[in-house]
Amino acid sequence: MFSNPEFSRNVRSQLRPGKMATSAAIAAALSFVVVFALNHITTPAAGPNGWGFGLLRGLFWLQALILAAGGGIACVNAIYKEKEQNTFDFQRVTRLSPLELSLGKLFGAPIFMHFLCLCSAPIVIFAAAKGGQQFTTVLAAYVVLFVASVAFHALALLLSLLTVRGSHTSAIIGVLILLWMSANASTFLSPYLHLGSLSPFYASEIAVQDHWTLASSSFDQPVRFPLVVIDSFFGHAVHHFPVVIILDVLFLAWFLLALARNIKRDPTQYELYSPLQSLGIVLFVNVAVLGFIRWDSAGLMDIQAALLTINGVVLGSLGLAQLRNRDRTRRILRTQEQAAPSWVNLTWPAPFLFVAAVGAGLLVSVAASFAHSSLMEWNPAFSVFRSLFFAAWIIRDTQFLQWMVLRRGKRALLMGVVYLSAFYACVLIALNAFGTFREVENLPFTAFFLPTPIYYLDHAAWAFRPAIWGAAFVAQWIFIALFIYAQRNTILELAHPATSEPVPVAAD
């Protein structure tokens, strides 16, 4: 790392002696004032209820805010500012490998935030000594803080690579929102998952735990402070510390893979992941979620609905990453020389999304079928039908966006998202005006336009209007066929712009 030119350049620009001395002096002054004030407190400092533990927890929360939020903003600026100054193209043609350039920016851009956290180390040692905290616990908290922050920095750097002119402020706001969501995700997911927080702010909780034994906490009622957090992975009790490290490292690897794949490419040729890599991400997310799921937290239908929603977010993001613009489509067509475009290229990304969405839905259905007991109401056939309906909805919207991206015009993807958002807004207003959401027998009619009615599909709902449910399912595939047909015509125009004669399509 120290021989990496990109890392060295960031160190020289951000860690100037005067800047470092000023920052260290300010941190020392603040630490001295805090220590002087706390030494005059008559309450005890040692123990879980002492002010030493409270100070230690607050310091790690502050360090997480500095390193994660401040470092995340620095990573968002890292590539975007280089593009604004027209110096990023020079970095793309250097002899640095994509991985070296990515690592240099990943650890170099937030280097000043790492220095600020280092300046707070003396008062952290003071708080740990006064509170009587073990050194290994403080060291573990720093490991969580560093690993989780680096994973978040990799995500911010990837967003910086994808940021276009005019969306820089939105990217910073989005990064801060993602950080807030990661800090509060365990609160919303704890009723459904045996999993604690994965954010850098978890370091403030592990810093004040009073032991490392697993027998002190329960799966059903996880207690964080001052006890340890216990997770359950496929029914086996595990401490949350190795879980957060392993999962954050895996997320870091996925983000770094996308960054290294594209950092030296032309922006028109970006492809975050290959189709096989995208399928690997879908499998990874599903195995992780199914491993920590609380099957007894709610009905199986509600759990399947939550799992399908998670898969919808993942597949929607990967579907957007798999979209091909006009330039990339032309390049693919040129590589085929005189051969007709294959059916995979004419229907992309429908084949990928069909395999990913159907596979994820069936994996959820199989896991729920094995987890259900005789006292639970569960129908495997309706579970599979809900999964197929979910796959059709994902393919329909993504195929529409792919067709919009291939059309002429500026900001084609943005306009496609605007049209899709307007469609859903109008549908919600119109269907709500007709009261279709308030009556069970009219709920199947909303399935023609929205995916949410399938979450309530069971034997009783099917018995009301089976023909309407079936027609809504068939309608999704009709829409998909229409979008594929429109996309096919657009691709054939790109392949043969000078002729209007029909071009034969390869069988394979």
Side-chain angles (χ1 to χ4, degrees):
M1 181 60 63
F2 292 101
S3 61
N4 189 309
E6 179 63 22
F7 178 77
S8 302
R9 183 178 69 90
N10 281 279
V11 170
R12 288 194 303 269
S13 63
Q14 297 187 46
L15 298 184
R16 295 186 178 93
K19 185 178 181 180
M20 294 173 61
T22 303
S23 302
I26 294 175
L30 291 175
S31 300
F32 175 78
V33 171
V34 172
V35 170
F36 180 79
L38 291 175
N39 277 330
H40 289 78
I41 296 179
T42 56
T43 57
N49 298 320
W51 58 260
F53 269 46
L55 176 61
L56 188 63
R57 188 179 193 183
L59 288 173
F60 270 98
W61 193 94
L62 180 62
Q63 289 179 100
L65 184 64
I66 293 173
L67 190 56
I73 294 175
C75 288
V76 170
N77 293 331
I79 298 179
Y80 178 81
K81 294 295 185 182
E82 297 286 352
K83 291 181 179 179
E84 286 287 302
Q85 299 170 2
N86 296 322
T87 56
F88 186 64
D89 289 336
F90 170 76
Q91 298 178 9
R92 288 173 47 214
V93 299
T94 58
R95 297 181 61 183
L96 285 175
S97 68
L99 183 59
E100 290 174 336
L101 183 58
S102 301
L103 292 176
K105 290 188 175 296
L106 178 62
F107 292 100
I111 188 65
F112 183 67
M113 301 303 164
H114 287 278
F115 175 75
L116 291 181
C117 291
L118 182 63
C119 291
S120 63
I123 192 173
V124 170
I125 297 175
F126 168 80
K130 285 292 186 180
Q133 183 59 288
Q134 300 177 1
F135 172 76
T136 55
T137 304
V138 177
L139 182 61
Y142 269 114
V143 172
V144 171
L145 175 65
F146 176 76
V147 173
S149 297
V150 171
F152 184 74
H153 293 167
L155 175 60
L157 198 60
L158 181 60
L159 293 178
S160 179
L161 179 67
L162 303 177
T163 301
V164 297
R165 187 184 299 271
S167 60
H168 179 237
T169 304
S170 301
I172 293 178
I173 296 175
V175 164
L176 296 179
I177 292 176
L178 288 175
L179 180 62
W180 177 82
M181 292 175 61
S182 67
N184 296 276
S186 60
T187 303
F188 302 109
L189 296 178
S190 57
Y192 304 100
L193 297 179
H194 287 291
L195 181 64
S197 174
L198 301 179
S199 75
F201 293 96
Y202 173 67
S204 64
E205 299 179 5
I206 199 173
V208 294
Q209 70 177 33
D210 54 356
H211 53 270
W212 292 90
T213 58
L214 297 178
S216 61
S217 296
S218 171
F219 295 153
D220 299 326
Q221 299 293 333
V223 181
R224 287 178 171 81
F225 175 74
L227 302 179
V228 299
V229 179
I230 306 301
D231 300 328
S232 175
F233 187 68
F234 289 110
H236 299 282
V238 289
H239 194 286
H240 186 55
F241 173 72
V243 172
V244 67
I245 296 298
I246 293 174
L247 290 181
D248 281 335
V249 168
L250 290 175
F251 279 116
L252 169 62
W254 285 116
F255 297 146
L256 193 60
L257 172 62
L259 187 64
R261 274 176 55 88
N262 298 275
I263 194 169
K264 302 196 76 171
R265 288 184 177 183
D266 187 86
T268 60
Q269 305 297 332
Y270 284 164
E271 183 188 25
L272 291 186
Y273 300 102
S274 67
L276 287 179
Q277 291 169 350
S278 299
L279 292 177
I281 294 178
V282 175
L283 180 62
F284 161 68
V285 172
N286 278 276
V287 170
V289 174
L290 291 174
F292 294 104
I293 196 72
R294 291 172 176 261
W295 293 108
D296 57 346
S297 61
L300 289 182
M301 284 184 56
D302 296 332
I303 292 178
Q304 187 193 22
L307 294 176
L308 290 180
T309 303
I310 294 174
N311 276 294
V313 174
V314 175
L315 290 172
S317 303
L318 293 176
L320 290 176
Q322 292 294 325
L323 297 182
R324 296 173 177 175
N325 54 29
R326 292 173 64 90
D327 292 337
R328 186 162 170 240
T329 303
R330 286 195 186 98
R331 181 173 60 85
I332 293 174
L333 295 176
R334 283 197 299 267
T335 58
Q336 297 180 351
E337 297 179 353
Q338 301 300 323
S342 65
W343 67 270
V344 174
N345 291 326
L346 291 177
T347 60
W348 189 260
F352 158 73
L353 286 176
F354 180 81
V355 174
V358 172
L362 294 181
L363 183 62
V364 171
S365 300
V366 171
S369 298
F370 278 106
H372 91 286
S373 63
S374 58
L375 301 178
M376 293 183 179
E377 182 182 355
W378 180 248
N379 191 319
F382 282 110
S383 172
V384 173
F385 183 77
R386 284 192 293 267
S387 300
L388 294 176
F389 211 125
F390 158 80
W393 166 66
I394 290 289
I395 298 172
R396 183 198 70 182
D397 287 357
T398 309
Q399 205 65 44
F400 167 75
L401 293 177
Q402 176 62 83
W403 172 56
M404 289 295 299
V405 168
L406 292 176
R407 290 166 58 87
R408 291 186 178 92
K410 295 181 178 179
R411 301 183 182 273
L413 178 59
L414 177 60
M415 295 306 300
V417 173
V418 170
Y419 291 150
L420 200 60
S421 302
F423 163 76
Y424 280 116
C426 294
V427 165
L428 287 173
I429 294 173
L431 294 179
N432 188 61
F434 284 105
T436 53
F437 295 106
R438 294 189 292 270
E439 299 178 2
V440 178
E441 60 270 14
N442 293 331
L443 191 63
F445 291 98
T446 63
F448 282 92
F449 312 99
L450 302 173
T452 50
I454 63 173
Y455 294 160
Y456 307 98
L457 178 59
D458 55 9
H459 189 274
W462 177 270
F464 273 110
R465 297 183 183 273
I468 303 301
W469 283 109
F473 178 71
V474 173
Q476 308 306 313
W477 298 101
I478 294 176
F479 283 124
I480 292 172
L482 291 176
F483 290 137
I484 288 178
Y485 178 76
Q487 174 182 323
R488 171 187 178 277
N489 292 340
T490 305
I491 292 177
L492 293 181
E493 290 177 2
L494 291 175
H496 303 274
T499 179
S500 58
E501 297 179 358
V503 179
V505 179
D508 188 8

